[in-house]
Amino acid sequence: MIRRNLTYAAIMAASIGGPYTFFNPEARQQAESIWSQASALIPSGEKSDATEKPTASIESPQVQPELPPEEQPNMFVPPTLSDAGANMPIAGPPVQDFLEVFNFNADFRWVAMRWPRVSTTLADLNLEGLRAPLVTGSQYDDLAGSITYYFDRDGHVQRITFHGTTGDERRLVQMLTTHFGFKHEPTLDAGLYLVKWNGDPTSVLRLRNSPVLNAAQPHTRLNVALEINRPSRYYGLSPQMAETVEEAKSAQRWGK
């Protein structure tokens, strides 16, 4: 029980703190402990049947025929978790394919059933966010941090963000370049990949080397800041990511 409580506190601190852990040494040290504890909680490569996986796509979901009012599901009301769901790891079941979680066909119900603890956050007046801790596994190319899904008024995901760490970015980069159209940009950081529209970034992956490279914590070698936006004339980069991009430009950290 003590071990479970300590693990819960560490993972939730990392997921709620987000980018704060990158700049606060004490918070970062706490976040680094996620990886060592995740190995015991989530064996790498284990498959999970805890929840049904939505089909991965960035396209707008197809409109389903309306059900009678008494049978109409309300995706804005999280369902009650079953006993099995309540006992799953705080960071959710292990992830075989990153597209399972970086999925624009997710809805409120799926998010609430996949993670036993989800917090809400307001991006702006038009988007409502659901944030959850994410540990995809215990391999070097797995991810640990927090993932947030931002929904519009129709319950469709318009933005997905992830803030955390990894020891090897290649698996994440392959997924983003293959399925979301990210392209590499010259940078002084560990890596920068963008999706652009009319020359302006609309989605961003920024990789930065950890301030301290600890051989005992290889999973935390890189800090990851990722924002994927559905192609839309209504939604672009979040104010936070737009500010990060402008600061990097001004400091000549990237660009030719």
Side-chain angles (χ1 to χ4, degrees):
M1 179 63 69
I2 294 177
R3 182 180 181 185
R4 175 179 295 179
N5 291 338
L6 290 175
T7 303
Y8 168 80
I11 295 179
M12 291 305 295
S15 66
I16 296 174
Y20 170 74
T21 60
F22 299 161
F23 304 101
N24 184 288
E26 294 182 1
R28 176 175 175 77
Q29 183 178 7
Q30 186 180 36
E32 288 176 351
S33 67
I34 294 176
W35 286 107
S36 57
Q37 298 178 63
S39 299
L41 287 174
I42 308 178
S44 179
E46 178 184 347
K47 294 185 178 180
S48 172
D49 297 325
T51 57
E52 183 179 355
K53 302 171 186 175
T55 303
S57 173
I58 197 171
E59 301 298 330
S60 299
Q62 295 182 353
V63 177
Q64 300 295 329
E66 292 188 1
L67 299 176
E70 63 274 13
E71 300 179 11
Q72 184 76 39
N74 186 348
M75 65 178 62
F76 293 95
V77 178
T80 302
L81 288 172
S82 64
D83 292 339
N87 293 327
M88 74 172 63
I90 294 299
V95 176
Q96 295 295 308
D97 187 336
F98 285 163
L99 287 175
E100 295 176 24
V101 289
F102 293 102
N103 192 328
F104 279 80
N105 278 343
D107 58 23
F108 268 55
R109 184 177 298 276
W110 179 82
V111 174
M113 292 188 69
R114 192 183 194 282
W115 285 276
R117 297 289 187 275
V118 177
S119 60
T120 59
T121 179
L122 187 65
D124 52 44
L125 296 179
N126 297 313
L127 294 175
E128 176 80 8
L130 292 183
R131 178 175 298 161
L134 178 67
V135 178
T136 61
S138 58
Q139 299 299 316
Y140 291 155
D141 59 2
D142 276 304
L143 304 172
S146 64
I147 188 169
T148 309
Y149 301 87
Y150 292 96
F151 295 85
D152 62 17
R153 288 184 172 87
D154 294 322
H156 300 154
V157 177
Q158 295 294 339
R159 177 184 300 150
I160 300 175
T161 66
F162 172 80
H163 294 279
T165 63
T166 187
D168 185 341
E169 78 283 7
R170 288 174 293 182
R171 179 182 169 195
L172 176 63
V173 168
Q174 182 180 13
M175 184 269 294
L176 293 173
T177 55
T178 301
H179 297 280
F180 294 100
F182 279 69
K183 296 185 182 301
H184 179 263
E185 294 283 334
T187 180
L188 294 177
D189 293 322
L192 179 69
Y193 297 81
L194 304 176
V195 177
K196 293 182 178 180
W197 187 76
N198 285 345
D200 295 324
T202 57
S203 294
V204 177
L205 169 65
R206 189 181 187 189
L207 303 167
R208 306 189 73 178
N209 289 313
S210 172
V212 178
L213 299 178
N214 188 343
Q217 294 286 344
H219 299 87
T220 63
R221 183 177 67 86
L222 293 171
N223 292 333
V224 180
L226 171 63
E227 178 174 309
I228 314 173
N229 288 287
R230 185 193 295 274
S232 170
R233 61 178 177 174
Y234 300 109
Y235 303 101
L237 287 181
S238 66
Q240 296 83 359
M241 184 59 78
E243 182 178 356
T244 298
V245 168
E246 288 303 317
E247 288 178 353
K249 283 184 177 180
S250 299
Q252 298 182 344
R253 298 291 300 175
W254 66 275
K256 296 181 180 179

mmCIF file of all heavy atoms in Angstrom, residues 95-126:
data_model
loop_
_atom_site.group_PDB
_atom_site.id
_atom_site.type_symbol
_atom_site.label_atom_id
_atom_site.label_comp_id
_atom_site.label_asym_id
_atom_site.label_seq_id
_atom_site.Cartn_x
_atom_site.Cartn_y
_atom_site.Cartn_z
ATOM 1 N N VAL A 95 1.327 0.813 -23.502
ATOM 2 C CA VAL A 95 0.999 1.225 -24.866
ATOM 3 C C VAL A 95 1.884 0.475 -25.849
ATOM 4 O O VAL A 95 3.112 0.571 -25.790
ATOM 5 C CB VAL A 95 1.195 2.748 -25.036
ATOM 6 C CG1 VAL A 95 0.941 3.163 -26.480
ATOM 7 C CG2 VAL A 95 0.277 3.505 -24.086
ATOM 8 N N GLN A 96 1.282 -0.284 -26.745
ATOM 9 C CA GLN A 96 2.031 -0.989 -27.774
ATOM 10 C C GLN A 96 2.378 -0.068 -28.941
ATOM 11 O O GLN A 96 3.462 -0.135 -29.493
ATOM 12 C CB GLN A 96 1.208 -2.179 -28.286
ATOM 13 C CG GLN A 96 0.961 -3.259 -27.245
ATOM 14 C CD GLN A 96 2.243 -3.936 -26.808
ATOM 15 O OE1 GLN A 96 3.019 -4.396 -27.643
ATOM 16 N NE2 GLN A 96 2.483 -3.988 -25.513
ATOM 17 N N ASP A 97 1.437 0.784 -29.303
ATOM 18 C CA ASP A 97 1.584 1.689 -30.441
ATOM 19 C C ASP A 97 1.212 3.087 -29.967
ATOM 20 O O ASP A 97 0.137 3.287 -29.396
ATOM 21 C CB ASP A 97 0.659 1.235 -31.574
ATOM 22 C CG ASP A 97 0.856 2.024 -32.866
ATOM 23 O OD1 ASP A 97 1.342 3.176 -32.803
ATOM 24 O OD2 ASP A 97 0.515 1.496 -33.940
ATOM 25 N N PHE A 98 2.087 4.069 -30.191
ATOM 26 C CA PHE A 98 1.809 5.434 -29.743
ATOM 27 C C PHE A 98 0.496 5.975 -30.309
ATOM 28 O O PHE A 98 -0.123 6.864 -29.718
ATOM 29 C CB PHE A 98 2.953 6.366 -30.133
ATOM 30 C CG PHE A 98 4.185 6.210 -29.274
ATOM 31 C CD1 PHE A 98 5.409 6.701 -29.699
ATOM 32 C CD2 PHE A 98 4.128 5.582 -28.042
ATOM 33 C CE1 PHE A 98 6.544 6.574 -28.915
ATOM 34 C CE2 PHE A 98 5.252 5.442 -27.247
ATOM 35 C CZ PHE A 98 6.470 5.942 -27.684
ATOM 36 N N LEU A 99 0.064 5.459 -31.469
ATOM 37 C CA LEU A 99 -1.191 5.930 -32.056
ATOM 38 C C LEU A 99 -2.399 5.558 -31.198
ATOM 39 O O LEU A 99 -3.485 6.103 -31.388
ATOM 40 C CB LEU A 99 -1.364 5.363 -33.466
ATOM 41 C CG LEU A 99 -0.455 5.964 -34.547
ATOM 42 C CD1 LEU A 99 -0.645 5.227 -35.860
ATOM 43 C CD2 LEU A 99 -0.723 7.451 -34.724
ATOM 44 N N GLU A 100 -2.221 4.637 -30.266
ATOM 45 C CA GLU A 100 -3.316 4.317 -29.356
ATOM 46 C C GLU A 100 -3.705 5.532 -28.519
ATOM 47 O O GLU A 100 -4.881 5.728 -28.196
ATOM 48 C CB GLU A 100 -2.909 3.172 -28.425
ATOM 49 C CG GLU A 100 -2.672 1.842 -29.114
ATOM 50 C CD GLU A 100 -2.177 0.792 -28.140
ATOM 51 O OE1 GLU A 100 -2.442 0.944 -26.926
ATOM 52 O OE2 GLU A 100 -1.526 -0.171 -28.570
ATOM 53 N N VAL A 101 -2.713 6.342 -28.152
ATOM 54 C CA VAL A 101 -2.996 7.483 -27.278
ATOM 55 C C VAL A 101 -2.949 8.818 -28.015
ATOM 56 O O VAL A 101 -3.661 9.755 -27.649
ATOM 57 C CB VAL A 101 -2.031 7.500 -26.072
ATOM 58 C CG1 VAL A 101 -2.357 6.368 -25.116
ATOM 59 C CG2 VAL A 101 -0.582 7.422 -26.513
ATOM 60 N N PHE A 102 -2.112 8.933 -29.057
ATOM 61 C CA PHE A 102 -2.104 10.159 -29.863
ATOM 62 C C PHE A 102 -3.151 9.981 -30.964
ATOM 63 O O PHE A 102 -2.836 9.763 -32.131
ATOM 64 C CB PHE A 102 -0.710 10.418 -30.428
ATOM 65 C CG PHE A 102 0.301 10.745 -29.369
ATOM 66 C CD1 PHE A 102 1.212 9.795 -28.940
ATOM 67 C CD2 PHE A 102 0.321 11.998 -28.777
ATOM 68 C CE1 PHE A 102 2.131 10.087 -27.943
ATOM 69 C CE2 PHE A 102 1.238 12.304 -27.780
ATOM 70 C CZ PHE A 102 2.141 11.340 -27.359
ATOM 71 N N ASN A 103 -4.401 10.081 -30.551
ATOM 72 C CA ASN A 103 -5.514 9.623 -31.366
ATOM 73 C C ASN A 103 -6.621 10.672 -31.364
ATOM 74 O O ASN A 103 -7.212 10.960 -30.324
ATOM 75 C CB ASN A 103 -6.035 8.303 -30.794
ATOM 76 C CG ASN A 103 -6.997 7.614 -31.724
ATOM 77 O OD1 ASN A 103 -7.729 8.259 -32.465
ATOM 78 N ND2 ASN A 103 -7.013 6.298 -31.680
ATOM 79 N N PHE A 104 -6.899 11.236 -32.526
ATOM 80 C CA PHE A 104 -7.902 12.287 -32.625
ATOM 81 C C PHE A 104 -9.330 11.750 -32.682
ATOM 82 O O PHE A 104 -10.275 12.529 -32.757
ATOM 83 C CB PHE A 104 -7.610 13.172 -33.839
ATOM 84 C CG PHE A 104 -6.558 14.210 -33.568
ATOM 85 C CD1 PHE A 104 -5.211 13.875 -33.600
ATOM 86 C CD2 PHE A 104 -6.904 15.508 -33.254
ATOM 87 C CE1 PHE A 104 -4.231 14.824 -33.329
ATOM 88 C CE2 PHE A 104 -5.941 16.463 -32.982
ATOM 89 C CZ PHE A 104 -4.602 16.127 -33.014
ATOM 90 N N ASN A 105 -9.503 10.448 -32.647
ATOM 91 C CA ASN A 105 -10.842 9.871 -32.561
ATOM 92 C C ASN A 105 -11.219 9.514 -31.131
ATOM 93 O O ASN A 105 -12.270 8.923 -30.893
ATOM 94 C CB ASN A 105 -10.958 8.627 -33.443
ATOM 95 C CG ASN A 105 -11.222 8.986 -34.893
ATOM 96 O OD1 ASN A 105 -11.628 10.104 -35.198
ATOM 97 N ND2 ASN A 105 -10.969 8.060 -35.791
ATOM 98 N N ALA A 106 -10.373 9.868 -30.178
ATOM 99 C CA ALA A 106 -10.711 9.637 -28.772
ATOM 100 C C ALA A 106 -11.878 10.539 -28.377
ATOM 101 O O ALA A 106 -12.097 11.594 -28.966
ATOM 102 C CB ALA A 106 -9.500 9.929 -27.891
ATOM 103 N N ASP A 107 -12.642 10.112 -27.371
ATOM 104 C CA ASP A 107 -13.704 10.954 -26.842
ATOM 105 C C ASP A 107 -13.620 10.979 -25.317
ATOM 106 O O ASP A 107 -12.783 10.312 -24.714
ATOM 107 C CB ASP A 107 -15.089 10.503 -27.327
ATOM 108 C CG ASP A 107 -15.410 9.058 -26.956
ATOM 109 O OD1 ASP A 107 -14.811 8.540 -25.981
ATOM 110 O OD2 ASP A 107 -16.252 8.445 -27.623
ATOM 111 N N PHE A 108 -14.496 11.772 -24.698
ATOM 112 C CA PHE A 108 -14.469 11.915 -23.241
ATOM 113 C C PHE A 108 -14.579 10.558 -22.561
ATOM 114 O O PHE A 108 -13.879 10.271 -21.588
ATOM 115 C CB PHE A 108 -15.633 12.815 -22.790
ATOM 116 C CG PHE A 108 -15.281 14.269 -22.684
ATOM 117 C CD1 PHE A 108 -14.733 14.946 -23.760
ATOM 118 C CD2 PHE A 108 -15.502 14.963 -21.510
ATOM 119 C CE1 PHE A 108 -14.414 16.286 -23.674
ATOM 120 C CE2 PHE A 108 -15.182 16.307 -21.409
ATOM 121 C CZ PHE A 108 -14.641 16.971 -22.500
ATOM 122 N N ARG A 109 -15.477 9.730 -23.065
ATOM 123 C CA ARG A 109 -15.735 8.448 -22.421
ATOM 124 C C ARG A 109 -14.500 7.552 -22.462
ATOM 125 O O ARG A 109 -14.143 6.916 -21.470
ATOM 126 C CB ARG A 109 -16.925 7.755 -23.103
ATOM 127 C CG ARG A 109 -17.350 6.456 -22.451
ATOM 128 C CD ARG A 109 -18.574 5.889 -23.142
ATOM 129 N NE ARG A 109 -19.703 6.786 -23.031
ATOM 130 C CZ ARG A 109 -20.516 6.815 -21.981
ATOM 131 N NH1 ARG A 109 -20.309 6.008 -20.966
ATOM 132 N NH2 ARG A 109 -21.528 7.652 -21.949
ATOM 133 N N TRP A 110 -13.831 7.508 -23.614
ATOM 134 C CA TRP A 110 -12.645 6.658 -23.746
ATOM 135 C C TRP A 110 -11.531 7.121 -22.811
ATOM 136 O O TRP A 110 -10.875 6.309 -22.157
ATOM 137 C CB TRP A 110 -12.164 6.672 -25.198
ATOM 138 C CG TRP A 110 -10.940 5.837 -25.422
ATOM 139 C CD1 TRP A 110 -10.884 4.488 -25.615
ATOM 140 C CD2 TRP A 110 -9.583 6.300 -25.466
ATOM 141 N NE1 TRP A 110 -9.574 4.083 -25.777
ATOM 142 C CE2 TRP A 110 -8.760 5.175 -25.690
ATOM 143 C CE3 TRP A 110 -8.992 7.557 -25.345
ATOM 144 C CZ2 TRP A 110 -7.375 5.272 -25.787
ATOM 145 C CZ3 TRP A 110 -7.610 7.659 -25.440
ATOM 146 C CH2 TRP A 110 -6.818 6.520 -25.659
ATOM 147 N N VAL A 111 -11.300 8.428 -22.734
ATOM 148 C CA VAL A 111 -10.256 8.953 -21.853
ATOM 149 C C VAL A 111 -10.556 8.599 -20.399
ATOM 150 O O VAL A 111 -9.687 8.136 -19.653
ATOM 151 C CB VAL A 111 -10.118 10.480 -22.018
ATOM 152 C CG1 VAL A 111 -9.138 11.050 -20.992
ATOM 153 C CG2 VAL A 111 -9.659 10.832 -23.431
ATOM 154 N N ALA A 112 -11.807 8.807 -19.994
ATOM 155 C CA ALA A 112 -12.178 8.557 -18.602
ATOM 156 C C ALA A 112 -12.090 7.079 -18.244
ATOM 157 O O ALA A 112 -11.823 6.730 -17.090
ATOM 158 C CB ALA A 112 -13.588 9.076 -18.338
ATOM 159 N N MET A 113 -12.309 6.192 -19.215
ATOM 160 C CA MET A 113 -12.250 4.762 -18.930
ATOM 161 C C MET A 113 -10.830 4.216 -19.004
ATOM 162 O O MET A 113 -10.520 3.202 -18.382
ATOM 163 C CB MET A 113 -13.153 3.995 -19.906
ATOM 164 C CG MET A 113 -14.632 4.257 -19.706
ATOM 165 S SD MET A 113 -15.677 3.173 -20.707
ATOM 166 C CE MET A 113 -15.375 1.595 -19.903
ATOM 167 N N ARG A 114 -9.958 4.888 -19.754
ATOM 168 C CA ARG A 114 -8.597 4.379 -19.895
ATOM 169 C C ARG A 114 -7.733 4.712 -18.684
ATOM 170 O O ARG A 114 -6.832 3.960 -18.335
ATOM 171 C CB ARG A 114 -7.949 4.951 -21.163
ATOM 172 C CG ARG A 114 -6.656 4.239 -21.530
ATOM 173 C CD ARG A 114 -5.979 4.839 -22.737
ATOM 174 N NE ARG A 114 -4.947 3.951 -23.233
ATOM 175 C CZ ARG A 114 -3.747 3.808 -22.687
ATOM 176 N NH1 ARG A 114 -3.429 4.510 -21.611
ATOM 177 N NH2 ARG A 114 -2.865 2.968 -23.194
ATOM 178 N N TRP A 115 -7.981 5.871 -18.063
ATOM 179 C CA TRP A 115 -7.205 6.291 -16.898
ATOM 180 C C TRP A 115 -8.112 6.403 -15.682
ATOM 181 O O TRP A 115 -9.193 7.006 -15.761
ATOM 182 C CB TRP A 115 -6.544 7.645 -17.149
ATOM 183 C CG TRP A 115 -5.361 7.602 -18.052
ATOM 184 C CD1 TRP A 115 -4.072 7.301 -17.717
ATOM 185 C CD2 TRP A 115 -5.332 7.891 -19.462
ATOM 186 N NE1 TRP A 115 -3.253 7.379 -18.813
ATOM 187 C CE2 TRP A 115 -3.996 7.738 -19.902
ATOM 188 C CE3 TRP A 115 -6.306 8.260 -20.392
ATOM 189 C CZ2 TRP A 115 -3.617 7.944 -21.221
ATOM 190 C CZ3 TRP A 115 -5.931 8.461 -21.704
ATOM 191 C CH2 TRP A 115 -4.597 8.306 -22.111
ATOM 192 N N PRO A 116 -7.681 5.873 -14.531
ATOM 193 C CA PRO A 116 -8.507 5.982 -13.329
ATOM 194 C C PRO A 116 -8.506 7.379 -12.718
ATOM 195 O O PRO A 116 -9.361 7.695 -11.908
ATOM 196 C CB PRO A 116 -7.872 4.963 -12.370
ATOM 197 C CG PRO A 116 -6.462 4.825 -12.840
ATOM 198 C CD PRO A 116 -6.498 5.017 -14.328
ATOM 199 N N ARG A 117 -7.542 8.228 -13.090
ATOM 200 C CA ARG A 117 -7.485 9.595 -12.577
ATOM 201 C C ARG A 117 -7.273 10.545 -13.747
ATOM 202 O O ARG A 117 -6.273 10.454 -14.457
ATOM 203 C CB ARG A 117 -6.336 9.768 -11.565
ATOM 204 C CG ARG A 117 -6.463 8.933 -10.315
ATOM 205 C CD ARG A 117 -7.580 9.423 -9.400
ATOM 206 N NE ARG A 117 -7.572 8.713 -8.132
ATOM 207 C CZ ARG A 117 -8.172 7.551 -7.926
ATOM 208 N NH1 ARG A 117 -8.828 6.961 -8.918
ATOM 209 N NH2 ARG A 117 -8.120 6.960 -6.746
ATOM 210 N N VAL A 118 -8.211 11.454 -13.958
ATOM 211 C CA VAL A 118 -8.130 12.431 -15.043
ATOM 212 C C VAL A 118 -8.480 13.798 -14.473
ATOM 213 O O VAL A 118 -9.449 13.936 -13.720
ATOM 214 C CB VAL A 118 -9.105 12.077 -16.194
ATOM 215 C CG1 VAL A 118 -9.056 13.138 -17.285
ATOM 216 C CG2 VAL A 118 -8.774 10.705 -16.777
ATOM 217 N N SER A 119 -7.688 14.814 -14.818
ATOM 218 C CA SER A 119 -7.979 16.173 -14.372
ATOM 219 C C SER A 119 -8.435 17.014 -15.554
ATOM 220 O O SER A 119 -8.075 16.745 -16.704
ATOM 221 C CB SER A 119 -6.745 16.810 -13.717
ATOM 222 O OG SER A 119 -5.663 16.861 -14.634
ATOM 223 N N THR A 120 -9.240 18.021 -15.286
ATOM 224 C CA THR A 120 -9.737 18.899 -16.339
ATOM 225 C C THR A 120 -8.921 20.179 -16.367
ATOM 226 O O THR A 120 -8.409 20.638 -15.347
ATOM 227 C CB THR A 120 -11.216 19.247 -16.116
ATOM 228 O OG1 THR A 120 -11.365 19.892 -14.843
ATOM 229 C CG2 THR A 120 -12.075 17.997 -16.156
ATOM 230 N N THR A 121 -8.797 20.742 -17.556
ATOM 231 C CA THR A 121 -8.068 21.996 -17.719
ATOM 232 C C THR A 121 -8.712 22.778 -18.849
ATOM 233 O O THR A 121 -9.218 22.194 -19.814
ATOM 234 C CB THR A 121 -6.580 21.745 -18.024
ATOM 235 O OG1 THR A 121 -5.905 22.995 -18.208
ATOM 236 C CG2 THR A 121 -6.406 20.908 -19.279
ATOM 237 N N LEU A 122 -8.717 24.086 -18.737
ATOM 238 C CA LEU A 122 -9.343 24.946 -19.739
ATOM 239 C C LEU A 122 -8.258 25.606 -20.569
ATOM 240 O O LEU A 122 -7.472 26.406 -20.065
ATOM 241 C CB LEU A 122 -10.213 26.009 -19.067
ATOM 242 C CG LEU A 122 -11.057 26.887 -19.992
ATOM 243 C CD1 LEU A 122 -12.096 26.043 -20.716
ATOM 244 C CD2 LEU A 122 -11.744 27.999 -19.199
ATOM 245 N N ALA A 123 -8.187 25.245 -21.872
ATOM 246 C CA ALA A 123 -7.181 25.834 -22.754
ATOM 247 C C ALA A 123 -7.559 27.266 -23.105
ATOM 248 O O ALA A 123 -6.749 28.178 -23.052
ATOM 249 C CB ALA A 123 -7.040 24.999 -24.024
ATOM 250 N N ASP A 124 -8.786 27.454 -23.501
ATOM 251 C CA ASP A 124 -9.335 28.773 -23.784
ATOM 252 C C ASP A 124 -10.847 28.628 -23.715
ATOM 253 O O ASP A 124 -11.360 27.616 -23.242
ATOM 254 C CB ASP A 124 -8.866 29.302 -25.151
ATOM 255 C CG ASP A 124 -9.122 28.307 -26.272
ATOM 256 O OD1 ASP A 124 -10.227 27.720 -26.308
ATOM 257 O OD2 ASP A 124 -8.231 28.114 -27.106
ATOM 258 N N LEU A 125 -11.570 29.631 -24.163
ATOM 259 C CA LEU A 125 -13.024 29.576 -24.055
ATOM 260 C C LEU A 125 -13.640 28.557 -24.999
ATOM 261 O O LEU A 125 -14.817 28.220 -24.862
ATOM 262 C CB LEU A 125 -13.613 30.965 -24.334
ATOM 263 C CG LEU A 125 -13.225 32.056 -23.329
ATOM 264 C CD1 LEU A 125 -13.850 33.386 -23.730
ATOM 265 C CD2 LEU A 125 -13.644 31.664 -21.920
ATOM 266 N N ASN A 126 -12.862 28.047 -25.949
ATOM 267 C CA ASN A 126 -13.419 27.148 -26.956
ATOM 268 C C ASN A 126 -12.991 25.695 -26.804
ATOM 269 O O ASN A 126 -13.504 24.833 -27.515
ATOM 270 C CB ASN A 126 -13.023 27.630 -28.358
ATOM 271 C CG ASN A 126 -13.596 28.988 -28.681
ATOM 272 O OD1 ASN A 126 -14.776 29.239 -28.459
ATOM 273 N ND2 ASN A 126 -12.760 29.883 -29.192
#
